[in-house]
């Protein structure tokens, strides 16, 4: 049964998609209500069959068989930095979501790095244990690639897993040896860019420790991909990553002529792409093929990768009473009221945390910051609870609109972390009681969603489970 709250969320998502894709929106064949139901039933059947011997992680948003590649494990743990070593590509794949026509500077999360030493300092500062080089097409700038790999491996050694994305068109044995000697641990080939030819990936098998094929799940290639899965395993490749096709304003003209059905969501995605990715995992399991097959859904990337980036600089700002939520926001709790109303809470906290390790009271005794583990000792009667959520991104330049802390890099250049308030809400005593009980008992978000006011906090607390809903 679809609740009125779910329907209002659907309406908000549809409105957002309509605005983003305004030029083409009315021409897109979105899934109808009956087709959505039957497709979700098919997906549930596929998931049930996969669950017998397959796996899921990240709250059911990542579905796979066998083992995840080492790089995918780093990604799912949120400890990975992707450096776009350039922004130019020498192929023109119909599914590419953005233009790839400018070499540019090495960039990650809108921060550019001219110097390998500066980038390595960034990796150290934020405790990354995974690093990938992407593009564009990285092999168009091989010197950059080896320089950044060498610097990272020289400093961080085996504690850093490194991988590399390529369409394979410029790969040869000499370049593979150079990448290996620079410290490359894993290489990923988009064979869709070379008409699904596996020759270049096969060349890498005896040189790079882990060889992975990473491609979008193209619906019309289902039977071909079944054949390729068998070949990949026979050739000694270890992993296949399948991405969900998504629509962008850039690739829309190329996707529009294909027989795809579109789904509303955080972005517009292709229904059939998800279903054939799951079908390929089931096929691999049924055939007992020794190849890890991983479905990297769009909701996984959009939710979990973004959640990992939100609190990147949290350690620069986090107070002892603040926590990072499962959704990646830095949450702060503050009780406000007259000193007499706060006295009961303060008395209890002085008994249970006399050193004030996890709480702080203002000089006027009218504001009390406290950690969630102290919620049992908080009396909210006659007070308001202020709940604040912040992101702590790393920026190339400070905005001066939020608190910031500078980070000096080896070149003398500075980048910064900022604490950006995203959501602030005042809860009166009854709502505060519900919210603190929810925090203390680690409930799911269902109880928050049942309260029309508290429901707006759910997305800041936990990530939605599972794959996307079809509508």
């Amino acid at each position: 049964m679809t609740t009125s709250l779910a329907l209002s969320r659907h309406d908000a998502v549809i409105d957002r998609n309509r605005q983003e894709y305004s030029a083409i929106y009315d021409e897109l064949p979105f899934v109808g209500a009956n087709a959505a139901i039957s497709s979700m039933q098919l997906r549930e059947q596929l998931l049930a069959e996969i669950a017998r011997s397959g796996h899921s992680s990240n709250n059911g948003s990542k579905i796979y068989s066998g083992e995840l590649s080492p790089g995918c494990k780093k990604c799912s743990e949120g400890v990975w930095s992707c450096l776009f070593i350039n922004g130019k590509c020498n192929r023109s794949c119909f599914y590419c979501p953005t233009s790839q026509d400018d070499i540019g500077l090495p960039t990650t999360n809108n921060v550019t790095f001219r110097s390998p030493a500066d980038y390595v300092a960034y990796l150290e500062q934020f405790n990354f244990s995974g690093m990938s080089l992407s593009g564009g097409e990285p092999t168009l700038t091989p010197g950059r690639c080896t320089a950044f790999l060498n610097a990272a491996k020289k400093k961080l050694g085996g504690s850093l897993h490194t991988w590399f994305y390529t369409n394979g068109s410029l790969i040869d044995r000499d370049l593979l040896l150079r990448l290996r000697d620079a410290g490359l641990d894993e290489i990923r080939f988009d064979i869709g860019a070379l008409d699904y030819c596996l020759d270049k990936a096969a060349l890498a098998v005896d040189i790079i420790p882990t060889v992975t094929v990473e491609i979008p799940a193209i619906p019309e290639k289902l039977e071909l991909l079944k054949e390729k899965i068998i070949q990949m395993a026979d050739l000694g490749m270890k992993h296949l990553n399948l991405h969900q096709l998504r629509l962008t304003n850039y690739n829309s003209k190329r996707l529009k002529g294909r027989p795809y059905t579109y789904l509303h969501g955080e972005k517009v995605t292709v229904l059939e792409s998800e279903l054939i990715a799951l079908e390929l995992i089931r096929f691999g399991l049924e055939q007992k093929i020794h190849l890890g097959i991983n479905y990297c859904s769009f909701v996984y990337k959009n939710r979990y990768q973004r959640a990992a980036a939100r609190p990147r600089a949290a350690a620069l700002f986090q107070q002892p009473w603040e926590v990072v939520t499962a959704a990646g926001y830095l949450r702060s709790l503050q009780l406000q009221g007259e000193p007499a109303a706060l006295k009961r809470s303060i008395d209890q906290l002085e008994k249970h945390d006399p050193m004030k390790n996890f709480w702080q009271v203002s000089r006027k005794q009218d504001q009390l910051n406290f950690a969630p583990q102290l919620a049992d000792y908080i009396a909210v009667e006659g007070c308001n609870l202020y709940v604040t959520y912040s992101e702590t991104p790393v920026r190339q330049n400070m905005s001066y609109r939020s608190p910031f802390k500078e980070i000096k890099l080896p070149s003398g250049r500075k980048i910064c972390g900022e604490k950006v308030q995203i959501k602030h809400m005042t809860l009166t005593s009854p709502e505060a009681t519900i919210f603190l009980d929810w925090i203390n008992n680690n409930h799911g978000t269902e109880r928050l969603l049942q309260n029309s006011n508290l429901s707006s906090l759910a997305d800041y607390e936990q990530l939605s489970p599972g794959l996307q809903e079809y509508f």
Side-chain angles (χ1 to χ4, degrees):
M1 180 177 176
T2 305
T3 66
S4 59
L5 181 60
L7 287 173
S8 68
R9 284 181 172 236
H10 288 185
D11 289 343
V13 168
I14 290 170
D15 285 345
R16 191 166 62 242
N17 289 159
R18 187 185 296 277
Q19 290 177 26
E20 181 173 354
Y21 302 93
S22 57
I24 57 171
Y25 182 88
D26 291 333
E27 302 173 29
L28 297 174
F30 283 98
V31 68
N34 292 334
I37 293 170
S38 61
S39 295
M40 288 184 73
Q41 290 172 341
L42 173 58
R43 183 177 69 180
E44 288 308 307
Q45 178 184 340
L46 288 167
L47 289 172
E49 293 178 17
I50 290 168
R52 293 172 191 160
S53 51
H55 314 279
S56 69
S57 67
N58 299 89
N59 219 357
S61 66
K62 180 178 281 292
I63 312 297
Y64 62 99
S65 63
E67 290 284 330
L68 291 174
S69 79
C72 287
K73 290 178 182 178
K74 295 294 183 184
C75 175
S76 66
E77 294 165 6
V79 291
W80 156 58
S81 171
C82 181
L83 184 68
F84 294 88
I85 200 75
N86 66 50
K88 188 174 179 63
C89 188
N90 59 341
R91 309 300 288 182
S92 184
C93 303
F94 80 89
Y95 45 77
C96 189
T98 60
S99 61
Q100 305 280 329
D101 53 13
D102 180 24
I103 289 290
L105 292 172
T107 304
T108 183
N109 293 116
N110 298 313
V111 180
T112 60
F113 293 92
R114 294 178 180 273
S115 159
D118 279 358
Y119 181 63
V120 174
Y122 167 84
L123 295 176
E124 286 188 292
Q125 173 71 45
F126 298 107
N127 298 312
F128 289 106
S129 57
M131 163 195 166
S132 69
L133 298 181
S134 186
E137 170 51 43
T139 57
L140 290 172
T141 53
R144 278 189 189 180
C145 295
T146 53
F148 277 80
L149 280 169
N150 266 316
K153 279 295 191 177
K154 184 175 181 180
K155 184 71 173 180
L156 301 172
S159 67
L160 182 74
H161 180 77
T162 60
W163 66 102
F164 186 93
Y165 298 89
T166 180
N167 60 42
S169 60
L170 300 178
I171 288 289
D172 58 24
R173 181 175 177 80
D174 178 66
L175 180 53
L176 289 169
L177 291 171
R178 289 167 59 195
L179 291 169
R180 181 201 64 187
D181 293 344
L184 187 65
D185 299 305
E186 179 179 346
I187 189 166
R188 300 185 180 185
F189 289 88
D190 179 0
I191 61 171
L194 295 181
D195 198 26
Y196 297 90
C197 177
L198 287 166
D199 291 352
K200 296 298 184 78
L203 185 62
V205 167
D206 294 327
I207 300 173
I208 307 298
T210 298
V211 176
T212 299
V213 170
E214 182 156 331
I215 53 176
I218 307 298
E220 56 268 39
K221 299 295 183 181
L222 175 60
E223 295 307 317
L224 174 64
L225 289 174
K226 288 180 179 179
E227 297 174 12
K228 292 297 174 179
I229 283 172
I230 297 170
Q231 293 176 25
M232 289 174 208
D234 290 344
L235 290 168
M237 294 158 207
K238 298 180 180 179
H239 308 279
L240 168 63
N241 292 340
L242 295 166
H243 290 279
Q244 184 178 18
L245 276 176
R246 73 177 180 96
L247 182 84
T248 69
N249 282 303
Y250 176 77
N251 68 17
S252 61
K253 289 183 179 179
R254 294 179 175 180
L255 263 64
K256 211 168 53 171
R258 293 171 180 264
Y260 298 157
T261 308
Y262 295 99
L263 300 168
H264 287 102
E266 289 116 341
K267 297 290 181 182
V268 172
T269 53
V270 174
L271 165 63
E272 294 86 358
S273 183
E274 177 159 278
L275 294 178
I276 75 114
L278 297 175
E279 169 64 26
L280 288 169
I281 295 174
R282 181 177 68 175
F283 171 78
L285 290 169
E286 287 178 345
Q287 300 299 316
K288 298 184 177 0
I289 297 169
H290 296 293
L291 181 78
I293 306 177
N294 163 40
Y295 172 45
C296 194
S297 68
F298 179 74
V299 294
Y300 163 76
K301 291 189 284 188
N302 199 51
R303 292 173 190 168
Y304 284 87
Q305 290 179 356
R306 290 179 68 184
R310 286 189 192 111
R312 187 67 67 204
L316 299 177
F317 301 96
Q318 189 171 1
Q319 298 295 329
W321 50 85
E322 295 179 319
V323 299
V324 176
T325 68
Y329 295 95
L330 190 61
R331 184 221 295 140
S332 181
L333 302 174
Q334 185 180 85
L335 197 66
Q336 292 189 15
E338 294 297 323
L342 262 64
K343 188 175 187 306
R344 182 179 166 191
S345 297
I346 294 170
D347 288 346
Q348 286 294 310
L349 293 176
E350 285 179 336
K351 288 180 183 178
H352 292 91
D353 184 13
M355 301 302 292
K356 297 185 179 181
N357 292 317
F358 299 105
W359 61 284
Q360 179 193 66
V361 65
S362 66
R363 184 174 299 176
K364 292 183 179 180
Q365 305 278 296
D366 60 351
Q367 297 180 3
L368 172 64
N369 298 303
F370 62 95
Q373 64 264 35
L374 300 176
D376 275 350
Y377 312 121
I378 299 300
V380 297
E381 294 82 2
C383 302
N384 288 327
L385 179 66
Y386 290 79
V387 185
T388 303
Y389 299 92
S390 301
E391 291 181 343
T392 54
V394 181
R395 300 200 189 282
Q396 180 143 306
N397 300 297
M398 60 203 76
S399 69
Y400 296 104
R401 292 190 295 270
S402 305
F404 65 88
K405 292 192 177 178
E406 292 183 329
I407 302 158
K408 190 174 181 180
L409 300 175
S411 65
R413 177 184 165 219
K414 294 177 182 177
I415 57 176
C416 70
E418 282 196 334
K419 185 178 183 181
V420 183
Q421 187 179 116
I422 301 297
K423 175 77 172 177
H424 180 75
M425 193 165 181
T426 304
L427 305 182
T428 57
S429 296
E431 291 170 338
T433 300
I434 295 172
F435 187 70
L436 292 181
D437 176 68
W438 177 81
I439 286 176
N440 197 46
N441 290 288
N442 195 29
H443 295 300
T445 55
E446 291 80 7
R447 193 174 182 195
L448 295 184
L449 292 172
Q450 290 168 4
N451 183 293
S452 59
N453 198 26
L454 294 178
S455 66
S456 65
L457 302 182
D459 289 341
Y460 300 94
E461 288 289 339
Q462 295 185 2
L463 298 172
S464 299
L467 300 171
Q468 72 183 100
E469 186 179 355
Y470 290 173
F471 66 96

